[in-house]
Amino acid sequence: MSDALINGLAGAGGGIIAQLITYPLQTVNTRQQTDRDPKKNNKSIGTFQQMCQVVKHEGWERLYGGLTPSLVGTATSQGVYYYFYQIFRNRAEAAALEKKMLGNGDGSVGMFSSLVVAALSGCVNVLLTNPIWLVVTRMQTHKKESKRTIPAPRLSDATEEKLLSTAEPLAYGTSHVIQEVYDESGVLGFWKGVLPTLVMVSNPSIQFMLYETLLAKLKKRSASNTVSALQIFLLGAIAKLGATVVTYPLLVVKARLQARQVKNGDKRHHYKGTRDAIFKMIRYEGFNGFYKGMGTKIVQSVLAAAVLFMVKEELVKQTRFLLGKNVPNTLKP
């Protein structure tokens, strides 16, 4: 078994466990991102309160809406990313060794090459798995709907909300979403939001750039030109936070494009593409609209990343132990 395959399978396993633990946070975050009512900005509620409201009005199962395709997407996404990352990394290392033999370089993979490897792996992952995440977004944002088909007298907002909250949800499984997306936009509809998602691949690059810049400034201020482990930890956290703040609006735009849109409804809530979504969000919601749910996302991302890396490394170690040897890097899958 190749090292690329081991890392791919381990990444899939770690991603599944992280997904199971943090999925309710993901559901709430997606709903926050796709909330298009600008009036709610001034009376927003916390993540935990919103989770309680979903449970109260829609049931526990709605916190796990779209879990099945999400697990498939997580396993596929993590597996694809780590598989191709290892392959591209192997090629980069082989190229570095060839340069060393020619008397150019020390044989190690440089910073730029590492960023290129991560970017290529991310792009392949996005292009292959975007349809899965579109289905997940639709299912996470699906809410209970009223069964009434006969026009009813105008009700108060409180009465209307109560009626909607007690109605049973319409059938909305994976097959329903797939058919809905295909009827709306055909095959290309499954790649809605792919452009901002591809740009999101730049997140690690921004994080690394911020980290290196802050580290260099900190070393200049240090008399011994060294930094402590705690300082490095804090720099990493600040860099991750900075990268998230810079790229988070792209996540919101992606979610808006992938969520269900009522074409005959309010034109402010219907987006024709990435550019149209950005302009309408700025016009009707202001820049605050691009950061809806960011606090929830930060908590979910940190927790998911910690679980993912811990489980992945343990799975890689145990797999190599069971195989009874260290598996060498190889270009073959």
Side-chain angles (χ1 to χ4, degrees):
M1 185 182 293
S2 71
D3 201 46
L5 185 57
I6 290 176
N7 277 274
L9 293 175
I16 288 175
I17 295 176
Q19 189 83 327
L20 289 171
I21 294 174
T22 65
Y23 197 77
L25 286 172
Q26 292 184 40
T27 298
V28 170
N29 182 235
T30 302
R31 291 192 176 200
Q32 291 171 338
Q33 291 174 341
T34 55
D35 178 15
R36 306 172 193 182
D37 185 359
K39 295 180 180 179
K40 291 185 179 180
N41 287 338
N42 297 326
K43 53 181 180 179
S44 58
I45 60 176
T47 301
F48 181 73
Q49 290 176 299
Q50 190 164 351
M51 289 175 66
C52 291
Q53 282 194 358
V54 173
V55 173
K56 179 180 179 181
H57 298 302
E58 303 178 54
W60 282 98
E61 67 276 6
R62 291 312 308 153
L63 286 177
Y64 290 89
L67 178 62
T68 299
S70 181
L71 290 177
V72 173
T74 297
T76 304
S77 181
Q78 295 297 332
V80 167
Y81 179 82
Y82 284 109
Y83 179 78
F84 281 99
Y85 178 87
Q86 194 62 49
I87 288 179
F88 293 145
R89 181 77 183 184
N90 290 343
R91 293 184 182 277
E93 290 175 351
L97 288 175
E98 288 182 4
K99 288 183 179 180
K100 182 181 179 181
M101 294 176 64
L102 296 174
N104 185 10
D106 59 359
S108 62
V109 178
M111 179 185 69
F112 179 74
S113 296
S114 296
L115 292 176
V116 171
V117 166
L120 287 175
S121 305
C123 289
V124 173
N125 176 36
V126 167
L127 292 173
L128 292 179
T129 63
N130 194 79
I132 300 175
W133 295 118
L134 184 142
V135 171
V136 172
T137 299
R138 291 285 180 107
M139 296 183 74
Q140 285 178 332
T141 54
H142 178 66
K143 299 180 181 179
K144 290 189 175 184
E145 300 177 22
S146 173
K147 288 183 176 181
R148 290 176 297 153
T149 54
I150 301 176
R154 174 63 183 168
L155 302 174
S156 66
D157 292 340
T159 305
E160 183 74 14
E161 183 178 351
K162 184 176 181 181
L163 284 173
L164 289 174
S165 67
T166 56
E168 290 298 321
L170 300 176
Y172 202 68
T174 304
S175 59
H176 297 89
V177 180
I178 294 174
Q179 186 63 50
E180 177 183 85
V181 175
Y182 182 78
D183 291 341
E184 286 179 4
S185 311
V187 176
L188 293 180
F190 291 97
W191 274 269
K192 283 184 177 180
V194 72
L195 181 58
T197 309
L198 284 172
V199 179
M200 273 294 298
V201 172
S202 65
N203 184 288
S205 301
I206 296 173
Q207 179 184 351
F208 190 81
M209 178 188 67
L210 290 174
Y211 174 80
E212 288 294 324
T213 302
L214 293 173
L215 181 62
K217 291 184 177 181
L218 192 60
K219 283 184 176 181
K220 286 183 179 180
R221 293 184 179 183
S222 174
S224 59
N225 198 35
T226 59
V227 293
S228 66
L230 177 59
Q231 288 175 318
I232 291 178
F233 174 83
L234 292 175
L235 287 181
I238 293 172
K240 180 62 178 178
L241 178 61
T244 300
V245 170
V246 172
T247 59
Y248 186 78
L250 295 170
L251 281 177
V252 178
V253 172
K254 182 203 75 169
R256 296 288 183 94
L257 291 171
Q258 293 183 341
R260 184 181 181 185
Q261 300 182 45
V262 182
K263 294 185 177 180
N264 296 326
D266 193 334
K267 292 183 178 180
R268 296 178 302 173
H269 301 162
H270 176 65
Y271 308 126
K272 299 177 181 179
T274 302
R275 183 179 178 181
D276 185 49
I278 293 173
F279 286 153
K280 284 183 177 178
M281 288 177 66
I282 293 175
R283 180 178 180 183
Y284 299 115
E285 300 176 57
F287 288 99
N288 288 337
F290 290 96
Y291 290 94
K292 286 185 175 180
M294 189 173 73
T296 304
K297 181 61 179 178
I298 290 174
V299 174
Q300 183 270 325
S301 296
V302 171
L303 179 58
V307 174
L308 168 61
F309 285 120
M310 179 182 68
V311 174
K312 174 187 175 292
E313 292 305 318
E314 189 63 26
L315 287 175
V316 169
K317 183 172 68 175
Q318 293 300 325
T319 301
R320 287 173 173 170
F321 175 77
L322 290 175
L323 291 175
K325 60 180 180 178
N326 286 327
V327 181
N329 288 341
T330 176
L331 300 182
K332 297 179 180 179

